[in-house]
Amino acid sequence: MYGWIQDGIEALVIEHFGKHAWHQIKEEAGTSISDGAFQRHTYYEDALTYKLVEAACKVLQLEAADVLKTFGGFFVTFVSDAGYDGLMAAQGNCLFDFLHNMNSMHYHLQGSLPSLVPPEFAVEAGGDKRTLILHYWSMRPGLAPLVEGVVQQVAKDYFHLTLNFDDYEMEEIEVDNVTRHYARFVIRSEGVLNLEPGQSFAMQSQDAEFS
């Protein structure tokens, strides 16, 4: 994963738990990188990110799902404050459109982050005007709670919506002879969503190299 992720984890921990907690997490994860040294446009092995999350769970005494969900929400603000607010705001005038455009946004980012291995999404309307169904595919396991946190924060910041997710599970599936990790999110809004029942978009095929 690109250093945006590790830099964001560091920022989250320091902001909410302090530098001492961050130093403990780095020690537990077995990394000696200096504070503030993660380079956002440098690609780091996924193993480092997973080690940081595992270490954060141990040091902060939190469940992995809670750490990932919190980070997902924090990351939306983190990237917006770093100059990407305009890009985020341009993804649609309603939550449905934003979720539909997430694939295109990731393709755009691959121009400056060529090794990016993004997830894929497809969104459809639920059975009423307060429900969406979001399909999520990733090459990486266990990150569905991060997506939940991202979507909830986007809904709050850009569309003034409060969302609740039904319980969900991740499963391994085969897509084009490649194993991916899939989750189906049923998302319920406390406010009416701007969509037509039955509206849906299929998953777009992706030309990025998954490595």
Side-chain angles (χ1 to χ4, degrees):
M1 301 179 197
Y2 274 99
W4 279 97
I5 299 298
Q6 295 82 12
D7 191 32
I9 293 172
E10 177 177 352
L12 169 63
V13 172
I14 291 176
E15 180 175 323
H16 291 280
F17 301 98
K19 281 192 174 183
H20 179 64
W22 174 239
H23 295 163
Q24 287 181 298
I25 289 169
K26 287 196 297 181
E27 181 178 0
E28 181 68 28
T31 179
S32 58
I33 191 167
S34 301
D35 290 355
F38 285 117
Q39 301 299 308
R40 294 175 179 178
H41 285 74
T42 296
Y43 196 88
Y44 298 88
E45 293 296 325
D46 287 358
L48 173 59
T49 305
Y50 282 104
K51 286 179 181 178
L52 289 172
V53 172
E54 292 172 3
C57 293
K58 183 173 182 178
V59 171
L60 304 176
Q61 298 184 331
L62 296 170
E63 296 293 329
D66 294 328
V67 170
L68 290 167
K69 182 178 176 180
T70 299
F71 175 67
F74 180 86
F75 193 68
V76 172
T77 304
F78 182 71
V79 297
S80 295
D81 291 346
Y84 284 86
D85 183 62
L87 177 64
M88 299 283 284
Q91 298 312 304
N93 294 320
C94 65
L95 180 62
F96 189 100
D97 287 346
F98 186 102
L99 297 177
H100 169 58
N101 287 327
M102 284 198 296
N103 289 341
S104 296
M105 180 173 64
H106 282 127
Y107 303 155
H108 172 78
L109 291 172
Q110 284 177 317
S112 58
L113 304 171
S115 296
L116 184 69
V117 185
E120 295 185 38
F121 299 93
V123 61
E124 60 183 290
D128 56 56
K129 293 184 179 181
R130 297 176 184 266
T131 306
L132 289 173
I133 298 172
L134 180 65
H135 303 272
Y136 159 71
W137 296 263
S138 176
M139 297 296 293
R140 300 180 174 99
L143 300 183
L146 190 154
V147 175
E148 180 182 357
V150 166
V151 173
Q152 287 184 326
Q153 195 67 40
V154 165
K156 177 182 177 182
D157 290 353
Y158 293 92
F159 306 108
H160 311 292
L161 293 170
T162 299
L163 303 181
N164 297 296
F165 280 60
D166 287 4
D167 292 340
Y168 57 84
E169 295 183 357
M170 292 206 72
E171 59 180 303
E172 288 189 2
I173 62 172
E174 294 291 324
V175 178
D176 298 328
N177 296 318
V178 177
T179 299
R180 302 191 189 185
H181 303 273
Y182 167 76
R184 178 181 181 271
F185 302 107
V186 177
I187 305 170
R188 304 185 191 278
S189 172
E190 295 183 8
V192 175
L193 297 164
N194 181 18
L195 53 86
E196 293 295 328
Q199 187 176 13
S200 65
F201 290 96
M203 181 181 74
Q204 301 174 13
S205 63
Q206 182 168 304
D207 294 328
E209 179 180 355
F210 291 93
S211 61

